[in-house]
Amino acid sequence: MSRHAVLGAGGVGLALAAALARGGEDVTLLLRPASLARYGGSVTVRQGLREGFTVAVPAAARLTGPADVLWVCVKHPDLPGALSTVAADVGVVVPLLNGTGHLPPLRERFGDRVVAGSIRIEATRTAVGEVRQESLFTEIELAGPPEVVAEALTAAGIGCTDGGSEADVLWRKLALLAPLALATTCAGGPLDAVREDEDLTRLMLACADEACATGRAEGARLDRGRVLRALTRAPGRTRTSLQRDVERGEAGELDAIAGPVREAGARHAIPTPATDELVHRARHDAGTPLPAGNRE
């Protein structure tokens, strides 16, 4: 049994903490003080048509004891404040954030203990300590999974794969997520709403082309055909956390998701007009404030 701290109690953090705890690991959830005051000491996972479960998971506002693995599951804008709650020694640090911009501050703090990762899951927090998981499986891809992490995930029933290089792991997810998240946000609905709009579908697929091109320029091994097939075959009910954030009037992770594509495009002289257009629509059509310092 290894000691795990899960930083961030949104859908991903809650689902991960519950699975690890049910698998017999020692897990601590790190919560904001307001959430901690309302937390009942357990996490309930509802799984659509499958039977859900409830498992006890201790929680704290700060990590003051050592942990073998620190899972970072906050959103990018919340990362600096969240890291200030980690006041103990940690072994492996596994960030499951979208995009690529989270790695530099994590490396500055934890050095080579950071292992780049990505997670495939559909999970939405419905209340403090409660999460609804729509996906039938959870898969975590890591750039060289350490043994302590691979063993814990296997015991938790979570798929763990070696995704190759850091660039491979991060851009493989981003090349699919960027067009999907931006297009569903612009549509204000699930993927079916995108498919009903011919122009938005064109922009989504063009954005995928741009993400693949910029990702390859950054050193990632990307299969353009596989990304396009995934977009065209994904269930029509598919939604994204970015779309839900914008529906709530929050900027969310717009820059974290679209920024790497646009920034890599600028570095490598690869035009990204479809990505730029989707970002413009997501900000202005949805009424999201335009952050300072944006390229527009």
Side-chain angles (χ1 to χ4, degrees):
M1 181 174 66
S2 48
R3 297 163 298 183
H4 299 255
V6 179
L7 184 58
V12 169
L14 288 174
L16 177 62
L20 289 169
R22 191 164 75 153
E25 300 297 305
D26 180 349
V27 184
T28 299
L29 259 178
L30 297 177
L31 300 176
R32 293 174 176 172
S35 295
L36 183 60
R38 294 181 286 134
Y39 180 62
S42 63
V43 177
T44 296
V45 181
R46 308 191 190 284
Q47 298 182 294
L49 297 177
R50 295 179 297 160
E51 184 177 355
F53 65 93
T54 298
V55 61
V57 183
R62 293 176 63 81
L63 181 64
T64 56
D68 298 304
V69 186
L70 173 65
W71 299 90
V72 185
C73 303
V74 297
K75 293 186 178 180
H76 192 276
D78 301 324
L79 183 59
L83 289 179
S84 69
T85 68
V86 179
D89 185 44
V90 297
V92 179
V93 179
V94 184
L96 298 176
L97 288 74
N98 294 322
T100 62
H102 55 280
L103 284 184
L106 287 172
R107 286 266 158 73
E108 183 177 352
R109 170 78 182 273
F110 300 107
D112 61 6
R113 287 173 286 172
V114 179
V115 178
S118 68
I119 186 168
R120 293 179 177 86
I121 187 175
E122 288 183 61
T124 305
R125 190 185 83 156
T126 53
V128 175
E130 295 183 8
V131 59
R132 183 173 184 83
Q133 183 176 336
E134 299 291 350
S135 53
L136 296 178
F137 64 91
T138 302
E139 182 83 22
I140 291 180
E141 190 173 69
L142 300 171
E147 185 176 349
V148 64
V149 175
E151 288 180 352
L153 292 176
T154 299
I158 296 175
C160 178
T161 59
D162 186 340
S165 73
E166 190 172 280
D168 290 341
V169 169
L170 297 180
W171 279 93
R172 191 177 293 122
K173 179 178 181 180
L174 190 58
L176 178 62
L177 177 63
L180 180 61
L182 291 172
T184 53
T185 298
C186 291
L191 187 54
D192 266 345
V194 176
R195 291 169 174 161
E196 292 170 0
D197 185 322
E198 184 176 340
D199 185 52
L200 199 50
T201 298
R202 176 188 62 80
L203 285 170
M204 178 179 70
L205 298 179
C207 175
D209 274 336
E210 294 167 5
C212 288
T214 52
R216 285 195 295 264
E218 291 287 287
R221 295 171 296 178
L222 293 173
D223 183 338
R224 171 183 174 274
R226 184 176 181 179
V227 172
L228 294 178
R229 286 193 297 274
L231 285 171
T232 55
R233 296 175 182 176
R237 62 172 177 79
T238 302
R239 294 179 179 269
T240 63
S241 60
L242 177 63
Q243 178 220 327
R244 290 191 290 267
D245 287 346
V246 172
E247 285 178 349
R248 292 193 297 264
E250 303 171 5
E253 295 187 294
L254 185 57
D255 285 334
I257 292 171
V261 177
R262 304 173 83 192
E263 291 158 10
R267 279 194 298 273
H268 300 285
I270 299 172
T272 58
T275 306
D276 294 343
E277 175 62 20
L278 287 171
V279 169
H280 176 82
R281 292 190 188 189
R283 285 204 174 105
H284 296 280
D285 293 354
T288 306
L290 183 65
N294 190 267
R295 283 177 14 178
E296 293 182 342

